[in-house]
Amino acid sequence: MVAETARRVYADSAATTRLLPEVLEAMLPYLKDVFGNPSSLHDWGAQAQEAVEQARGQVAALIGGRPEEILFTSCGTESNNFAIKGLARAGQERGKHIVISAVEHFSVLHSARALEKMGFELSVVPVDRHGWVDPDSVARHLREDTILVSVMHANGEVGTIEPIKEIAQVVKGKSKAVFHTDAVATAGTIPVDVAELGVDALSLAANQFYGPKGAAALWLKRGVRIIPYLDGGVQEGGRRAGTENVPAIVGMGVAAEIARRELATRMKKLTPLRRRLIDGVLSRVEHSILTGHPENRLPGNASFCIKFIEGESMLMLLNSRGVAVSSGSACTSRALKASHVLSAMGIPAEVAQSSLLFSLGIDNTEADIDYILGVLPPIVDRLRQMSPLWAKFVKERR
């Protein structure tokens, strides 16, 4: 059911972004007349293959890589599964030790846990109260048999940007491990350059930078070995089997090209909007706390815990006022469990249940922020009047 309100504000860009008109226009021919299979040897296939290769170059340019290092996948989760499982299996003759951070996306965390059941060992690096991964802590977890390290570039749930360049230097200086970063939250949002970061593999997804769902990629540094985990054909250089989703790949390429061109402008717009929202919530909503790093965070990310009430209830009431937000990551928002990210940051479960994430996008305006700041406080007040936790707090405060 769609809420009927005077104003509608989409503030859930971490879940997905809208498709740009230019991207849709570029995709349409490949949904109609240019329908060939890129693996086919005739002209229809050649047209499709040419489009895929053009997109490969566009995506590579977004992150400073080479076209031949881009492997197209269906989503960020697949890219992360491919990286963790494929890189670990490729290196298992040298060792079976894997290192990840405590705030990784479930597609990394669960892939690593699955490998544990296959005989691999897993070390999980803790984070500080801002969700920040200390490079020295990573160094302390490295061993002679460490073959893979994976630390995300930024956490989409709390916005903290991790020191990937410094972690890469530690990994390369103290081990022979391959270093992967999940950059789904950053590629197309902030500057990402694989050479500058010093990583060996990087995941990204089109729907995070105004491209289509169903298209993503794994950048794999030339010379780094990976074992395919999809068996079948010889697509993507024999490393990712399956007929390519040509329309979505074309859309990803165009979205990547636009993101590269507009990156600075987008960041310049989003950062003050984020600051306005954070300052407004903290000043107008009593007992609210900002989660994630106060400054070193994604330009559109404003995440909070609003004590004594549940995030899910706030989400639903905000939706009834025409505001779309999330409570934690989109992949876990229906689980109704305390976020593992917030737990890793030392936030108690009862407080973590009160999480609320606003993730702003290029369409948001100051008027949107002011509308949010107008509707949120009454919602919080209403829910607290029904909260036994709030009643207990007020009673004990007297």
Side-chain angles (χ1 to χ4, degrees), residues 174-245:
K174 295 182 176 294
S175 77
K176 296 181 180 179
V178 173
F179 185 32
H180 164 260
T181 189
D182 172 3
V184 169
T186 56
T189 299
I190 63 174
V192 174
D193 186 290
V194 290
E196 183 177 340
L197 291 175
V199 295
D200 300 302
L202 178 146
S203 303
L204 65 160
N207 72 313
Q208 293 294 300
F209 49 87
Y210 307 92
K213 303 171 189 66
L218 175 66
W219 171 82
L220 190 67
K221 186 177 181 179
R222 186 165 60 182
V224 174
R225 187 166 168 260
I226 194 167
I227 302 295
Y229 85 111
L230 286 179
D231 296 320
V234 296
Q235 293 88 352
E236 298 303 292
R239 289 176 289 187
R240 197 274 185 181
T243 302
E244 298 91 341
N245 184 350

Side-chain angles (χ1 to χ4, degrees), residues 337-356:
K337 294 181 179 179
S339 159
H340 74 287
V341 172
L342 298 180
S343 296
M345 291 162 57
I347 296 175
E350 66 274 14
V351 177
Q353 290 279 13
S354 68
S355 65
L356 202 60

Side-chain angles (χ1 to χ4, degrees), residues 4 25 35 39 60 194 204 225 227 294 305 360 383 392:
E4 295 182 5
E25 184 178 355
F35 58 83
S39 296
V194 290
L204 65 160
R225 187 166 168 260
I227 302 295
C305 284
L360 308 175
L383 291 172
K392 180 182 178 183

